[in-house]
Amino acid sequence: MAPLTRIAAERERMSAIERRIADFICDNAHLLRDYSSQQLANALGISQSSVVKFSQKFGYRGYPDLKFSIGMAVARHSGDSPPLDEDASMAAPTDAAQAALLELVQLRQAAQQQTQLTNPLSTLQQVVRLLDQAPRVYVHGLGDDGIYARDLAMRLSLQGILAIHHADAILMLADLSTVRSGDVLIVLSEFGKMQPLVHISRQFQALGGQVISITRHTANPLRASTATALAVCANADAPHMAQLLYRSSLQFLLDSLFVLLCHTNPERQRQLAVNLERVAQLIDA
C-alpha cells in the first residue's frame, strides 16, 4: 500500500499537525472514503487548508486525489487477502507469544519497505558510484553502529574496494591526515547527534572528501552536515521493537548497497568470488 507507506515513512519529519493527519489517515484508511476534507479537518480540529496542503505535500493535486489513491491501495490489498475460513482461523495467533512474533514480522516488513521508499534507487545508485570510484573508503561507527560499520568495511574489501574501518573516533580523527580528494567516508550513527562524528564529517569534507551519513529518518546534526544522507526507517511504539527494526532496516539498506555494487560493476563480482575462494581455502586448511 504505497501511499500509506510513504506517509508513514515521512512521519518523523512532519510537523505536529501533519502527524495528526498522518496518524488519522493510517489508522482509518478503510474509512477515508466517507470523509471529505472538511469533515477530516473537523474531526482533527484543524483547518481544511491544512488537509489540502498535506495532500499536496505528497504530490497530489488535492485531498480527493489522495483519498482516491489510498482507496485503490486498500482495495488492492483487500483483494490479495483470501477470505477468512475455519482453516485460516486455525492459523491465527493463539496466544500472546505468537502474536508478538507475528507483530515483529509485520513491523519488520513495513520498516524495510519504508526504508526502501525513503532511499530511492537514484540516491542509492549515486552512493554506489561514489564507492565504486573512490580511491579509499573510510567506514566509521560507534557502539552498536560500529558492528555494522565493521561488517560493511569487510564486504567492501571483499569486492576489491580499499576500505578502512575505524571504531575509535580519535583514531579516525588522526587518520584525517591521509585523506585525499575523492575519498569517501561512511558514517553510521543511529540518532546522528554525537558531536565527535559531526566534527569528523565536517573536517573530512573540508579536506576534499565526500561523506555519506546513515542515520534514523529524523532531523539530526550529522545528517544536516552531509550532502549525501541515507535514512533508516524504524517506527514502533515499544522501545525494544524500535531497536530491532532499526537493526534489520539498517542491514537491509547496507545489503542493498552491496547488491547494487555487484550489479553495477561486474569486476566487483569477479573480485568477490576470488576473495571468497581465498577465504574458503583458509578455512579448509
Side-chain angles (χ1 to χ4, degrees):
M1 296 165 62
L4 296 178
T5 303
R6 287 179 56 202
I7 291 174
E10 291 293 327
R11 186 184 184 280
E12 294 186 15
R13 303 178 65 185
M14 295 179 184
S15 66
I17 291 179
E18 289 173 340
R19 287 196 194 101
R20 290 169 61 191
I21 300 173
D23 290 344
F24 184 91
I25 289 177
C26 291
D27 293 341
N28 302 278
H30 59 294
L31 300 175
L32 205 61
R33 64 180 182 275
D34 299 325
Y35 281 82
S36 66
S37 58
Q38 186 60 63
Q39 288 172 326
L40 178 57
N42 292 340
L44 295 175
I46 59 177
S47 66
Q48 185 181 19
S49 63
S50 296
V51 177
V52 175
K53 290 178 181 177
F54 179 88
S55 304
Q56 293 172 341
K57 179 176 182 178
F58 289 92
Y60 298 96
R61 289 179 296 178
Y63 172 74
D65 286 347
L66 172 62
K67 182 170 68 170
F68 177 79
S69 178
I70 291 176
M72 291 295 292
V74 171
R76 286 195 299 269
H77 182 71
S78 299
D80 292 338
S81 302
L84 186 64
D85 54 24
E86 292 184 3
D87 292 335
S89 64
M90 293 295 291
T94 58
D95 56 35
Q98 285 182 326
L101 293 179
L102 178 60
E103 181 186 18
L104 174 60
V105 171
Q106 294 173 338
L107 288 175
R108 178 174 289 174
Q109 290 175 342
Q112 291 182 0
Q113 187 176 16
Q114 291 168 13
T115 299
Q116 185 177 29
L117 289 172
T118 303
N119 302 279
L121 181 59
S122 58
T123 300
L124 296 181
Q125 289 174 328
Q126 176 189 355
V127 171
V128 165
R129 283 193 294 270
L130 289 175
L131 298 178
D132 191 41
Q133 299 170 6
R136 284 172 298 189
V137 177
Y138 298 81
V139 187
H140 185 45
L142 302 177
D144 284 350
D145 290 302
I147 299 173
Y148 292 90
R150 180 177 179 274
D151 179 72
L152 174 60
M154 180 189 70
R155 290 181 180 276
L156 293 177
S157 296
L158 288 173
Q159 290 177 302
I161 295 174
L162 178 54
I164 304 168
H165 168 245
H166 282 298
D168 187 299
I170 294 178
L171 291 178
M172 181 65 237
L173 192 62
D175 212 15
L176 290 179
S177 60
T178 66
V179 174
R180 299 293 181 268
S181 178
D183 288 347
V184 172
L185 168 64
I186 303 177
V187 186
L188 292 81
S189 177
E190 181 173 359
F191 299 103
K193 296 181 179 180
M194 301 184 71
Q195 286 304 313
L197 300 184
V198 177
H199 177 70
I200 290 171
S201 170
R202 290 172 176 165
Q203 290 292 316
F204 195 94
Q205 291 175 91
L207 293 168
Q210 301 193 62
V211 178
I212 301 166
S213 65
I214 303 178
T215 70
R216 276 184 176 269
H217 188 35
T218 57
N220 58 74
L222 179 60
R223 187 177 183 184
S225 71
T226 60
T228 304
L230 300 179
V232 177
C233 297
N235 301 318
D237 294 330
H240 68 287
M241 283 291 194
Q243 185 181 44
L244 293 176
L245 295 183
Y246 171 76
R247 292 176 177 177
S248 63
S249 294
L250 173 60
Q251 188 64 64
F252 171 75
L253 182 59
L254 297 179
D255 289 346
S256 298
L257 293 176
F258 178 79
V259 169
L260 288 176
L261 270 168
C262 289
H263 176 76
T264 301
N265 188 346
E267 174 60 23
R268 299 298 176 202
Q269 286 195 56
R270 189 197 67 80
Q271 190 62 59
L272 175 64
V274 170
N275 286 329
L276 288 177
E277 178 64 24
R278 289 171 177 166
V279 172
Q281 291 174 358
L282 180 63
I283 294 174
D284 294 337

